[in-house]
Amino acid sequence: CFFFVVFIKMSSSQSPPLLEYIEVKATSSPPTGTVVFLHGWPDSPEMWRPQLDFFKEKGYRAFAIALPNYNGRCEYKWGLDFPEVADSIVATIKHFMGDGNAEGKKVFLVGHDWGAIFAYLVEKRVPELIEKMVTVDVGGRVNMKEISSSGKAAILFYQFYLVGTFISGNLFPFIGKPIADFFTQLLVKYYAHAPNYIDGHGAHIGYPYYYSWKQRLFGGDGGLAALKRYSPQVPALYIYGRKKPFNFHSSGWVKEMETREDCSVIPFNSNHWVQIQCPDEFNDAVLQFIEEEQQ
């Protein structure tokens, strides 16, 4: 009954605001194009610094958007549900591309981890805003039947762990929040081995897991509901690392990306953070994809 009460809590009714972002100006004028980067858990926009610098030198204008609560502050106690985050990302892109995107300019969208999920949601909502899309290590479809029993156990462990710290930190803010932050940091450092974690990130950044499981357990239009049977409407490149205990994509997703003329797949000999472990190869692959002419 306790968890039922917690999980049915409605998300904020306020309109999602513009999100913070890092911007780098192109070395050429006018710029060749605009590349937008979306990070995931437990990272920050600074994770994309090597990519920002690379595309700047290639003549591109580049932005790395901070997800809500991922800017070193807890602005939303209960975070934002997936549709609200997607709305904020769309509004932010339109903001720095020109109010209302009146000129019909498009961007190249790159997302990693939860950033990949939000990229899919944005692309599904406003494909006219996206020229091409690159997603990293989380596919548009996942088949749990293809994941081993140990992999399923690992997924359930860390995701419910993060849901638990997120909820306890919100219900008992004065006592529970510091403890929840501490246990979140333990998971980040010693289980996920995340390379781009910042001190201001605590239990409050776990809201994607909260809303994901809320939708899975109780239904509704939030969480991952909008990505059921998802298929990209724009040319897409999917990149993933091989050196992981399990993959966050289905074989069907990879097959679709491999067989579509406007899509492709590139596996790397890396862990989950491909763009950090193999930055040069990653940058070259993304640049080649966004600059190649589609048949």
Coordinates of all heavy atoms in Angstrom, one line a residue, residues 6-9 11 41 70 78-85 113-114 117-118 121 138 142 144 155-156 158-160 162-164 166-167 205-227 248:
V6 N 2.9 6.0 -3.1 CA 4.0 6.8 -3.6 C 4.0 6.8 -5.2 O 4.1 7.9 -5.8 CB 5.3 6.2 -3.1 CG1 6.5 6.9 -3.8 CG2 5.4 6.4 -1.6
F7 N 3.8 5.7 -5.8 CA 3.9 5.6 -7.2 C 2.8 6.2 -8.0 O 3.0 6.6 -9.1 CB 4.0 4.1 -7.7 CG 5.4 3.6 -7.7 CD1 5.9 2.9 -6.7 CD2 6.2 3.9 -8.8 CE1 7.2 2.4 -6.7 CE2 7.5 3.4 -8.8 CZ 8.0 2.7 -7.8
I8 N 1.6 6.4 -7.4 CA 0.5 7.0 -8.1 C 0.6 8.6 -8.0 O -0.2 9.3 -8.6 CB -0.9 6.6 -7.7 CG1 -1.1 7.0 -6.2 CG2 -1.0 5.1 -7.9 CD1 -2.5 6.7 -5.7
K9 N 1.6 9.1 -7.3 CA 1.7 10.6 -7.2 C 1.8 11.2 -8.6 O 2.6 10.7 -9.4 CB 2.9 10.9 -6.4 CG 3.1 12.4 -6.3 CD 4.4 12.8 -5.7 CE 4.6 14.3 -5.6 NZ 4.6 14.9 -7.0
S11 N 2.8 13.9 -11.5 CA 4.0 14.7 -11.7 C 3.5 16.2 -11.8 O 2.3 16.5 -11.8 CB 4.6 14.4 -13.0 OG 3.7 14.5 -14.1
W41 N 22.0 9.2 -17.2 CA 22.3 9.0 -15.8 C 23.7 8.4 -15.6 O 24.0 7.4 -16.4 CB 21.3 8.1 -15.1 CG 21.5 7.8 -13.7 CD1 21.0 8.5 -12.6 CD2 22.4 6.8 -13.1 NE1 21.4 8.0 -11.4 CE2 22.3 6.9 -11.7 CE3 23.2 5.8 -13.6 CZ2 23.0 6.1 -10.8 CZ3 23.9 5.0 -12.7 CH2 23.8 5.2 -11.3
Y70 N 19.9 17.8 -13.3 CA 21.2 17.3 -13.6 C 22.2 18.5 -13.7 O 23.3 18.4 -14.3 CB 21.3 16.5 -14.8 CG 20.8 15.1 -14.6 CD1 19.5 14.8 -14.5 CD2 21.7 14.0 -14.6 CE1 19.0 13.4 -14.3 CE2 21.3 12.7 -14.4 CZ 20.0 12.4 -14.3 OH 19.6 11.1 -14.1
W78 N 10.2 16.0 -7.2 CA 9.8 14.7 -7.8 C 10.2 14.6 -9.2 O 9.7 13.8 -10.0 CB 8.3 14.5 -7.6 CG 7.9 14.3 -6.2 CD1 7.5 15.2 -5.3 CD2 8.0 13.0 -5.5 NE1 7.3 14.5 -4.1 CE2 7.6 13.2 -4.2 CE3 8.3 11.7 -5.9 CZ2 7.5 12.2 -3.3 CZ3 8.3 10.7 -5.0 CH2 7.9 10.9 -3.7
G79 N 11.2 15.4 -9.7 CA 11.7 15.3 -11.0 C 10.6 15.7 -12.0 O 9.6 16.3 -11.7
L80 N 10.8 15.2 -13.3 CA 9.8 15.4 -14.3 C 9.5 14.1 -15.0 O 10.5 13.3 -15.2 CB 10.2 16.5 -15.3 CG 10.4 17.9 -14.8 CD1 10.9 18.8 -15.9 CD2 9.0 18.5 -14.3
D81 N 8.3 13.8 -15.4 CA 8.0 12.6 -16.2 C 8.5 12.8 -17.6 O 8.8 13.9 -18.1 CB 6.5 12.4 -16.1 CG 6.1 10.9 -16.4 OD1 7.0 10.1 -16.8 OD2 5.0 10.5 -16.1
F82 N 8.6 11.7 -18.3 CA 9.2 11.7 -19.6 C 8.6 12.6 -20.6 O 9.3 13.3 -21.3 CB 9.2 10.2 -20.2 CG 10.2 9.3 -19.5 CD1 10.1 9.0 -18.2 CD2 11.2 8.7 -20.2 CE1 11.0 8.2 -17.5 CE2 12.1 7.9 -19.6 CZ 12.0 7.6 -18.3
P83 N 7.3 12.7 -20.7 CA 6.7 13.7 -21.6 C 7.1 15.1 -21.3 O 7.3 15.9 -22.2 CB 5.2 13.5 -21.5 CG 5.0 12.1 -21.0 CD 6.2 11.9 -20.1
E84 N 7.2 15.5 -20.0 CA 7.6 16.8 -19.6 C 9.0 17.1 -20.0 O 9.3 18.2 -20.5 CB 7.3 17.0 -18.2 CG 5.9 16.9 -17.7 CD 5.7 17.0 -16.2 OE1 6.3 16.1 -15.5 OE2 5.1 17.9 -15.7
V85 N 9.9 16.1 -19.8 CA 11.3 16.3 -20.2 C 11.4 16.5 -21.7 O 12.1 17.4 -22.1 CB 12.1 15.1 -19.7 CG1 13.6 15.3 -20.2 CG2 12.1 15.0 -18.2
D113 N 22.4 6.9 -23.2 CA 21.7 6.4 -22.0 C 20.3 6.9 -22.0 O 19.6 6.8 -23.0 CB 22.6 6.7 -20.8 CG 22.1 6.1 -19.5 OD1 22.4 4.9 -19.3 OD2 21.4 6.7 -18.7
W114 N 19.9 7.5 -20.9 CA 18.6 8.1 -20.9 C 18.5 9.2 -21.9 O 17.4 9.5 -22.4 CB 18.2 8.7 -19.5 CG 17.8 7.7 -18.5 CD1 18.5 7.4 -17.3 CD2 16.7 6.8 -18.5 NE1 17.8 6.4 -16.6 CE2 16.7 6.0 -17.3 CE3 15.7 6.6 -19.4 CZ2 15.7 5.1 -17.1 CZ3 14.7 5.6 -19.2 CH2 14.7 4.9 -18.0
I117 N 16.9 7.7 -24.9 CA 15.5 7.6 -24.7 C 14.8 8.9 -25.0 O 13.8 9.0 -25.7 CB 15.1 7.1 -23.3 CG1 15.7 5.7 -23.1 CG2 13.6 7.1 -23.1 CD1 15.1 4.6 -24.0
F118 N 15.3 10.0 -24.4 CA 14.7 11.3 -24.7 C 14.9 11.7 -26.1 O 14.0 12.4 -26.7 CB 15.3 12.3 -23.7 CG 14.9 12.1 -22.3 CD1 15.9 11.9 -21.3 CD2 13.6 12.0 -21.9 CE1 15.5 11.7 -20.0 CE2 13.2 11.7 -20.6 CZ 14.1 11.6 -19.6
L121 N 12.0 10.1 -28.0 CA 10.8 10.8 -27.7 C 10.7 12.1 -28.4 O 9.6 12.5 -29.0 CB 10.7 11.1 -26.2 CG 10.4 9.8 -25.3 CD1 10.5 10.2 -23.8 CD2 9.0 9.3 -25.6
V138 N 21.7 2.6 -25.8 CA 20.3 2.3 -25.4 C 19.5 2.4 -26.6 O 19.3 3.4 -27.2 CB 19.8 3.2 -24.3 CG1 18.3 2.9 -24.0 CG2 20.6 3.1 -23.0
V142 N 13.9 -2.8 -26.3 CA 14.6 -3.8 -25.5 C 13.7 -5.0 -25.3 O 12.6 -4.9 -25.0 CB 15.0 -3.1 -24.2 CG1 15.7 -4.2 -23.3 CG2 15.9 -1.9 -24.3
M144 N 13.5 -8.1 -22.9 CA 14.1 -8.6 -21.7 C 14.3 -10.1 -21.8 O 15.1 -10.7 -21.1 CB 13.1 -8.3 -20.5 CG 13.1 -6.9 -20.1 SD 14.7 -6.2 -19.5 CE 14.9 -7.1 -18.0
I155 N 19.8 -5.6 -13.5 CA 18.9 -4.5 -13.9 C 17.9 -4.1 -12.8 O 17.7 -3.0 -12.4 CB 18.2 -4.8 -15.2 CG1 19.2 -4.8 -16.4 CG2 17.1 -3.7 -15.5 CD1 18.6 -5.3 -17.7
L156 N 17.3 -5.2 -12.3 CA 16.3 -5.0 -11.2 C 16.9 -4.4 -9.9 O 16.4 -3.5 -9.3 CB 15.6 -6.3 -10.9 CG 14.6 -6.8 -11.9 CD1 14.1 -8.2 -11.6 CD2 13.4 -5.8 -12.1
Y158 N 19.8 -2.5 -9.6 CA 20.2 -1.1 -9.5 C 19.1 -0.2 -9.8 O 19.1 1.0 -9.3 CB 21.4 -0.9 -10.5 CG 21.0 -0.6 -12.0 CD1 20.6 0.6 -12.4 CD2 21.1 -1.6 -12.9 CE1 20.3 0.9 -13.7 CE2 20.8 -1.4 -14.2 CZ 20.4 -0.1 -14.6 OH 20.1 0.1 -15.9
Q159 N 18.1 -0.6 -10.6 CA 17.0 0.3 -10.9 C 16.1 0.5 -9.6 O 15.6 1.6 -9.3 CB 16.2 -0.2 -12.1 CG 17.0 -0.1 -13.4 CD 16.1 -0.1 -14.6 OE1 14.9 -0.2 -14.6 NE2 16.8 0.0 -15.8
F160 N 15.7 -0.6 -8.9 CA 14.9 -0.5 -7.7 C 15.7 0.2 -6.6 O 15.1 0.9 -5.8 CB 14.4 -1.8 -7.3 CG 13.1 -2.2 -8.0 CD1 13.1 -3.0 -9.1 CD2 11.9 -1.6 -7.6 CE1 11.9 -3.3 -9.8 CE2 10.7 -1.9 -8.3 CZ 10.7 -2.7 -9.4
L162 N 17.8 2.6 -7.1 CA 17.7 4.1 -7.4 C 16.3 4.6 -7.2 O 16.1 5.7 -6.7 CB 18.2 4.3 -8.8 CG 19.6 4.1 -9.1 CD1 20.0 4.2 -10.5 CD2 20.5 5.2 -8.3
V163 N 15.3 3.8 -7.5 CA 13.9 4.2 -7.2 C 13.7 4.4 -5.6 O 13.1 5.3 -5.2 CB 12.9 3.2 -7.7 CG1 11.5 3.5 -7.2 CG2 12.9 3.2 -9.2
G164 N 14.3 3.4 -4.9 CA 14.2 3.5 -3.4 C 14.9 4.7 -2.8 O 14.3 5.4 -2.0
F166 N 15.5 7.5 -4.4 CA 14.8 8.7 -4.9 C 13.5 8.9 -4.0 O 13.3 10.1 -3.6 CB 14.4 8.5 -6.3 CG 13.5 9.6 -6.9 CD1 14.1 10.8 -7.3 CD2 12.1 9.4 -7.1 CE1 13.3 11.8 -7.8 CE2 11.4 10.5 -7.6 CZ 12.0 11.7 -8.0
I167 N 12.8 7.9 -3.7 CA 11.5 8.0 -3.0 C 11.9 8.4 -1.5 O 11.3 9.3 -0.9 CB 10.7 6.7 -3.0 CG1 10.2 6.5 -4.4 CG2 9.6 6.8 -2.0 CD1 9.4 5.2 -4.6
I205 N 18.5 12.7 -9.0 CA 18.6 12.5 -10.4 C 18.1 11.1 -10.8 O 18.1 10.8 -12.0 CB 20.1 12.6 -10.8 CG1 21.0 11.5 -10.2 CG2 20.7 14.0 -10.5 CD1 22.4 11.4 -10.8
G206 N 17.5 10.4 -9.9 CA 17.0 9.1 -10.2 C 15.6 9.1 -10.7 O 15.0 8.0 -10.9
Y207 N 15.0 10.2 -11.0 CA 13.6 10.3 -11.4 C 13.3 9.5 -12.7 O 12.1 9.1 -12.8 CB 13.1 11.7 -11.5 CG 13.8 12.6 -12.5 CD1 13.3 12.6 -13.8 CD2 14.9 13.4 -12.3 CE1 13.9 13.4 -14.8 CE2 15.5 14.1 -13.2 CZ 15.0 14.1 -14.5 OH 15.6 14.9 -15.5
P208 N 14.2 9.4 -13.6 CA 13.8 8.6 -14.8 C 13.4 7.1 -14.5 O 12.5 6.6 -15.0 CB 15.0 8.6 -15.7 CG 15.7 9.9 -15.3 CD 15.5 10.0 -13.9
Y209 N 14.1 6.6 -13.5 CA 13.8 5.2 -13.1 C 12.5 5.2 -12.3 O 11.7 4.3 -12.5 CB 14.9 4.7 -12.2 CG 16.2 4.6 -12.8 CD1 17.2 5.6 -12.7 CD2 16.6 3.6 -13.7 CE1 18.4 5.6 -13.3 CE2 17.8 3.6 -14.4 CZ 18.7 4.6 -14.2 OH 19.9 4.6 -14.9
Y210 N 12.2 6.2 -11.5 CA 10.9 6.3 -10.8 C 9.8 6.3 -11.8 O 8.8 5.6 -11.6 CB 11.0 7.5 -9.9 CG 9.6 7.9 -9.3 CD1 9.1 7.3 -8.2 CD2 8.9 9.0 -9.8 CE1 7.9 7.6 -7.7 CE2 7.7 9.4 -9.3 CZ 7.2 8.7 -8.2 OH 6.0 9.0 -7.7
Y211 N 9.8 7.2 -12.8 CA 8.7 7.4 -13.7 C 8.6 6.2 -14.7 O 7.5 5.8 -15.1 CB 8.8 8.7 -14.4 CG 8.4 9.9 -13.5 CD1 9.4 10.8 -13.1 CD2 7.1 10.0 -13.1 CE1 9.0 11.8 -12.2 CE2 6.7 11.1 -12.3 CZ 7.7 12.0 -11.8 OH 7.3 13.0 -11.0
S212 N 9.7 5.6 -15.0 CA 9.7 4.4 -15.8 C 9.0 3.3 -15.2 O 8.1 2.6 -15.8 CB 11.2 4.0 -16.2 OG 11.2 2.7 -16.8
W213 N 9.3 3.0 -13.9 CA 8.6 1.9 -13.2 C 7.2 2.3 -12.8 O 6.3 1.4 -12.7 CB 9.4 1.5 -12.0 CG 10.6 0.6 -12.4 CD1 11.9 0.9 -12.5 CD2 10.5 -0.8 -12.7 NE1 12.6 -0.1 -12.9 CE2 11.8 -1.2 -13.1 CE3 9.4 -1.7 -12.8 CZ2 12.0 -2.5 -13.5 CZ3 9.7 -3.0 -13.2 CH2 11.0 -3.4 -13.6
K214 N 6.9 3.5 -12.5 CA 5.6 4.0 -12.2 C 4.7 3.6 -13.4 O 3.5 3.1 -13.2 CB 5.6 5.5 -12.0 CG 4.2 6.1 -11.8 CD 4.3 7.6 -11.5 CE 3.0 8.3 -11.5 NZ 2.4 8.4 -12.8
Q215 N 5.1 3.9 -14.6 CA 4.3 3.6 -15.8 C 4.2 2.1 -16.0 O 3.1 1.6 -16.4 CB 4.9 4.3 -17.0 CG 4.1 4.2 -18.3 CD 4.3 3.0 -19.1 OE1 5.4 2.5 -19.1 NE2 3.2 2.5 -19.7
R216 N 5.3 1.4 -15.8 CA 5.2 -0.1 -16.0 C 4.3 -0.8 -15.1 O 3.5 -1.7 -15.5 CB 6.6 -0.7 -15.9 CG 7.6 -0.3 -16.9 CD 9.0 -0.8 -16.7 NE 10.0 -0.3 -17.6 CZ 11.3 -0.6 -17.5 NH1 11.7 -1.5 -16.6 NH2 12.1 -0.1 -18.4
L217 N 4.2 -0.3 -13.8 CA 3.4 -1.0 -12.8 C 2.0 -0.5 -12.8 O 1.1 -1.3 -12.5 CB 4.0 -0.7 -11.4 CG 5.4 -1.4 -11.2 CD1 5.9 -0.9 -9.8 CD2 5.3 -2.9 -11.3
F218 N 1.8 0.8 -13.1 CA 0.4 1.3 -13.0 C -0.2 1.9 -14.3 O -1.3 2.4 -14.3 CB 0.4 2.4 -11.9 CG 0.9 1.9 -10.6 CD1 2.1 2.3 -10.1 CD2 0.2 1.0 -9.9 CE1 2.6 1.9 -8.9 CE2 0.7 0.5 -8.6 CZ 1.9 0.9 -8.1
G219 N 0.6 1.8 -15.4 CA 0.1 2.3 -16.7 C 0.1 3.8 -16.8 O 0.8 4.5 -16.0
G220 N -0.6 4.3 -17.7 CA -0.6 5.8 -18.0 C 0.2 6.2 -19.2 O 0.8 5.3 -19.9
D221 N 0.2 7.4 -19.5 CA 0.9 8.0 -20.7 C 2.3 8.4 -20.4 O 3.0 8.9 -21.3 CB 0.1 9.1 -21.3 CG -1.3 8.7 -21.7 OD1 -1.4 7.6 -22.1 OD2 -2.2 9.6 -21.6
G222 N 2.8 8.3 -19.2 CA 4.1 8.7 -18.8 C 5.2 7.7 -19.1 O 4.9 6.7 -19.8
G223 N 6.3 7.8 -18.5 CA 7.4 6.8 -18.6 C 7.7 6.5 -20.1 O 7.8 7.4 -20.9
L224 N 7.9 5.3 -20.4 CA 8.2 4.8 -21.7 C 7.1 4.4 -22.6 O 7.2 3.8 -23.7 CB 9.2 3.6 -21.6 CG 10.5 3.9 -20.8 CD1 11.3 2.6 -20.7 CD2 11.4 4.9 -21.5
A225 N 5.8 4.8 -22.2 CA 4.6 4.4 -22.9 C 4.7 4.8 -24.4 O 4.2 4.1 -25.2 CB 3.4 5.0 -22.2
A226 N 5.2 6.0 -24.7 CA 5.1 6.5 -26.0 C 6.1 5.8 -27.0 O 6.0 6.0 -28.2 CB 5.5 8.0 -26.0
L227 N 7.0 5.0 -26.4 CA 8.0 4.3 -27.3 C 7.6 2.9 -27.6 O 8.5 2.1 -28.1 CB 9.4 4.4 -26.6 CG 10.0 5.8 -26.5 CD1 11.4 5.7 -25.8 CD2 10.1 6.5 -27.8
F248 N 21.3 -3.0 -23.8 CA 20.0 -2.3 -23.6 C 19.4 -2.1 -25.0 O 19.1 -1.0 -25.4 CB 20.2 -1.0 -22.9 CG 20.1 -1.2 -21.4 CD1 21.2 -0.9 -20.6 CD2 18.9 -1.6 -20.8 CE1 21.1 -1.0 -19.2 CE2 18.8 -1.7 -19.4 CZ 20.0 -1.4 -18.6

